[in-house]
Amino acid sequence: MLDQSIKTQLSAYLTKIIRPVSIRVNLDNSDKSTELVELAREIAGMSDQISLHETQLDTERAPLMSIQPANEEAARVAFAGIPMGHEFTSLVLALLQAGGHPAKEEQAILDQILLLEGEIKLETYISLSCQNCPEVVQALNLMSVLNPNISHTMIDGALFPKEVEERNILAVPAVFANGELFGQGRMTLAEIVNKLDTGAEKKQAEALSKKEAYEVLVVGGGPAGSAAAIYAARKGIRTGVVAERFGGQVSDTMAIENFISVKATDGPKLVANLEQHVLDYDVDLLKTQRAANIVSAQESDSGLVEVTLESGAVLKSRSVILATGARWREMNVPGEAEYKGKGVAYCPHCDGPLFKGKKVAVIGGGNSGIEAAIDLAGIVDHVTVLEFSDVLRADEVLLQKARSLSNVTIIKNAATTEVLGDGARVNGLTYTDRLTGDSHKVVLAGIFVQIGLLPNTDFLKGRVDLSDRGEIEIDARGQTSMPGVFAAGDVTTTPYKQIIIAMGAGATAALGAFDHLIRTSVPVTEAEEAVA
C-alpha cells in the first residue's frame, strides 16, 4: 500500500519511538477494511516497538485504527477511515507521540493541556482532501496523548455518510465535544485549548499587557507580516508579531506555482517555512490574538502606539506595521449567514467531498471560481457557475477546461439574490438575470462562494485613512496616515494581491519603520522622569 520511498522515510521516523506502541484495528468485510489492515500490517512490520491486534467488534466503527502506548488498556487516539492523503502525517505523529517522542510545542500550552479537567470525548469529521483538517486532527490527537481525560477520533466523512447526514455536517473539519458541535474550520492547538480552558483568556491578557514595549510590532502573520518581522529583527531591534492565525489566507492555498525560484509548493508548507524563518530571529510571536483597536502615540498616555487586542490586552510599541490581510468576500444575500457551514462554503478543496454526487453552485467567474468548478466537477453531479458580470475574468486556459466538462454550466449576468434551505441545510438558490430581469431558481445542495477578498480593516475605521474599498492607504514607504504606523500586503491599496508582492511590501514597511525610529526620539518613561 505504501510505496518504497514513503516506507524508507517512515522507517526512519519510527526509530524515534522509545516505548512500545499498540495498533488495534476494528474491521468489517469492506474493501476499506482490507486497505486499513494492509496499512497497519505494513507499519507494524517496520518496527519492533509496534504490535498489531485485529478485531471485528460490532460496537465500534469499522474500519477503525486506534493507537496507544502498549501498557495502557484503553486507546485515546483513533482513526475511523484510512489516514492517508493529508492525514498520513497525522498518523505518523500519533505513532511517535504514543511512543514517547516529545511534541514540538511550547511548554506553557502542554502544561495547560495537562490541567484540563473532566472527561472530554472529541470527534472530528474530515475529508482526506482537506488541507485544514490535519492541523485540527493533530492538535486533538496530541491533547489525547497527553491528558488521560481526553480521547479523540478522526472520522472520514466519505466512509461514514450516515453519521454525516445525521449530524448535518456540510463543512470540515467539524469537531464534536461530548456529542455537541464544538467548532468548524481551521483551529490551532492554542485556540482549541483556550476554548476548553474558560479562564485562559483573562490570564493571557494580563500577561500580555505586562510585556515590555516593542520597537516594531507587526500585526498579522501572513507573507507581508512575516517579511516585515524578519527585516525588522535583522536590524537588531525588539520585534513582536501578533497574529490571529499565522499564515493567513496562504494556509488555505493548495497549489503555488508562481513563487519565484520555487517551481511548486503549497500553502501549509510555505507557512511552516515562513514561521520557522521568523523564529530563527529574536521575534516575540504571539499567536491566536486579534487586534481590536489602535491608538496613536500622540493620543496615548505612554507616548507609544498602543494596540488593544480582543482579549483586552494592550501592547505598546514605538512603531507598528499593519499586515492583517484579507478574508473571503461574502455575497451578503438573505440566507447566506443562516446556512454558512450548512451548505454555504468557501473552500472547495476542504468541503467538496461532502457533496459527492450532488448538485452545487460556484459563485464567481474569476480564476478562483473557475478553478473551484473544475475541481468540483470530478466529485459532484453538476456544477453551475454564476458570474455577476457579462465577462468571465478567469484565465483562458481555465475557461477552456471548464467549458470542456459536460457537468459544468456557466451563466453570466447572474445576480445571486437568496440562499434557500429547509432550516437545516441548503437546498437551492435564486438569481436574477441582469439583462432580462427574470428570476430563476436552481435546486442544489451546496454553494461555494469565490468572489474575492475583503481587507481586514474593520478595527481601523476612523483610525487610519482607508480607501473606498476599505483598504489602508499607504505611501511608497508603507507609511499610513497615523505617524509611526505602517502597513503592507493585501490589507493595503497595493493593486496586485500576490504572495511575492506582499512579501516585498512587508520588507518595505519594515525598512520604513526603521527609518522612522532612527529619526524620532525615544519616549521618556515614568521611571526615567522620576530619576530626573
Side-chain angles (χ1 to χ4, degrees):
M1 186 168 182
L2 301 175
D3 64 37
Q4 190 55 49
S5 64
I6 292 177
K7 285 183 179 180
T8 301
Q9 295 177 54
L10 182 56
S11 294
Y13 281 120
L14 295 181
T15 61
K16 299 177 181 180
I17 293 177
I18 59 176
R19 68 185 181 200
V21 174
S22 173
I23 296 178
R24 298 180 183 274
V25 290
N26 187 49
L27 310 168
D28 55 18
N29 296 319
S30 66
D31 291 340
K32 289 299 181 182
S33 280
T34 302
E35 286 183 43
L36 183 64
V37 74
E38 181 183 342
L39 173 64
R41 288 169 181 170
E42 283 191 68
I43 293 172
M46 293 182 192
S47 172
D48 293 337
Q49 293 274 39
I50 300 176
S51 60
L52 174 62
H53 307 272
E54 301 173 22
T55 62
Q56 284 192 321
L57 301 174
D58 294 335
T59 57
E60 293 185 15
R61 296 182 180 94
L64 181 139
M65 173 192 288
S66 61
I67 296 171
Q68 64 196 81
N71 62 347
E72 293 188 6
E73 293 184 8
R76 299 198 299 272
V77 174
F79 298 87
I82 318 295
M84 295 298 289
H86 290 303
E87 293 298 345
F88 186 67
T89 300
S90 302
L91 170 61
V92 175
L93 286 174
L95 288 165
L96 294 180
Q97 290 163 1
H101 187 68
K104 294 181 179 179
E105 296 289 345
E106 295 178 9
Q107 190 59 46
I109 197 166
L110 299 179
D111 294 340
Q112 192 178 354
I113 292 169
L114 288 169
L115 293 173
L116 291 174
E117 298 179 348
E119 183 178 355
I120 307 173
K121 179 183 177 182
L122 298 162
E123 299 166 297
T124 304
Y125 290 85
I126 61 98
S127 67
L128 294 179
S129 61
C130 168
Q131 71 268 26
N132 291 329
C133 295
E135 182 175 359
V136 175
V137 170
Q138 291 161 24
L140 298 177
N141 283 348
L142 173 59
M143 292 171 62
S144 302
V145 169
L146 294 175
N147 189 322
N149 297 319
I150 302 173
S151 64
H152 175 241
T153 302
M154 180 217 82
I155 305 163
D156 181 358
L159 296 189
F160 298 91
K162 184 177 179 182
E163 290 188 38
V164 169
E165 188 78 18
E166 289 174 348
R167 285 183 155 175
N168 198 29
I169 297 167
L170 295 171
V172 292
V175 180
F176 286 77
N178 296 331
E180 299 294 327
L181 183 63
F182 175 79
Q184 281 184 301
R186 192 183 188 101
M187 293 181 284
T188 66
L189 175 62
E191 287 171 331
I192 294 167
V193 174
N194 287 342
K195 190 171 181 179
L196 290 168
D197 184 357
T198 54
E201 185 174 70
K202 183 179 178 181
K203 289 183 288 186
Q204 288 178 354
E206 291 174 352
L208 290 175
S209 294
K210 294 177 182 177
K211 280 187 172 288
E212 180 186 346
Y214 300 97
E215 290 177 284
V216 172
L217 175 64
V218 182
V219 183
S226 299
I230 290 168
Y231 265 72
R234 284 176 62 85
K235 295 294 185 181
I237 56 181
R238 178 167 164 73
T239 303
V241 176
V242 58
E244 182 177 16
R245 178 172 65 132
F246 195 89
Q249 287 287 329
V250 177
S251 302
D252 302 327
T253 303
M254 284 299 291
I256 300 173
E257 298 176 346
N258 57 355
F259 191 72
I260 310 306
S261 84
V262 179
K263 286 185 65 176
T265 186
D266 59 51
K269 187 181 297 183
L270 179 57
V271 168
N273 290 337
L274 284 175
E275 183 170 358
Q276 185 56 58
H277 196 175
V278 169
L279 293 176
D280 283 344
Y281 295 93
D282 187 17
V283 174
D284 190 14
L285 179 55
L286 312 175
K287 294 193 283 188
T288 71
Q289 300 293 331
R290 185 174 181 174
N293 193 25
I294 186 169
V295 177
S296 70
Q298 291 72 25
E299 296 176 289
S300 71
D301 294 334
S302 64
L304 298 166
V305 182
E306 296 183 354
V307 175
T308 302
L309 308 181
E310 285 193 346
S311 65
V314 178
L315 302 175
K316 301 179 179 67
S317 183
R318 289 184 61 202
S319 67
V320 168
I321 298 173
L322 301 169
T324 47
R327 63 189 183 277
W328 291 113
R329 185 185 296 273
E330 299 178 355
M331 296 182 291
N332 293 318
V333 299
E336 180 181 18
E338 179 183 355
Y339 290 103
K340 191 179 293 183
K342 299 176 182 179
V344 174
Y346 301 86
C347 180
H349 299 293
C350 304
D351 301 332
L354 299 175
F355 297 88
K356 184 178 180 180
K358 299 179 181 179
K359 293 179 171 60
V360 302
V362 171
I363 311 300
N367 281 344
S368 297
I370 299 302
E371 285 174 354
I374 294 169
D375 288 343
L376 290 166
I379 303 170
V380 305
D381 176 60
H382 189 272
V383 183
T384 300
V385 178
L386 299 178
E387 166 56 44
F388 182 85
S389 174
D390 60 352
V391 177
L392 297 170
R393 294 165 287 109
D395 296 340
E396 186 58 33
V397 63
L398 295 175
L399 292 173
Q400 289 178 6
K401 175 63 176 177
R403 287 167 176 151
S404 73
L405 300 172
S406 61
N407 64 336
V408 174
T409 301
I410 300 175
I411 304 174
K412 295 183 286 187
N413 287 303
T416 305
T417 52
E418 186 176 4
V419 173
L420 307 175
D422 60 7
R425 59 178 61 202
V426 166
N427 60 22
L429 64 74
T430 59
Y431 74 90
T432 298
D433 185 320
R434 295 177 58 240
L435 296 179
T436 66
D438 295 339
S439 180
H440 301 270
K441 179 180 177 180
V442 182
V443 176
L444 43 73
I447 301 169
F448 291 85
V449 183
Q450 301 284 291
I451 55 175
L453 302 170
L454 279 175
N456 291 318
T457 55
D458 292 346
F459 74 103
L460 296 170
K461 291 177 181 176
R463 310 303 302 169
V464 300
D465 290 346
L466 305 177
S467 71
D468 56 3
R469 299 177 65 178
E471 299 167 327
I472 303 172
E473 294 185 344
I474 57 173
D475 65 14
R477 291 178 173 80
Q479 172 72 58
T480 72
S481 60
M482 184 180 289
V485 176
F486 297 76
D490 288 3
V491 74
T492 72
T493 49
T494 300
Y496 304 111
K497 314 302 184 185
Q498 298 288 311
I499 294 170
I500 197 163
I501 291 173
M503 287 182 172
T508 297
L511 295 174
F514 182 70
D515 187 63
H516 165 79
L517 292 176
I518 62 178
R519 295 173 187 276
T520 56
S521 59
V522 180
V524 178
T525 66
E526 292 181 2
E528 290 170 333
E529 284 182 342
V531 172

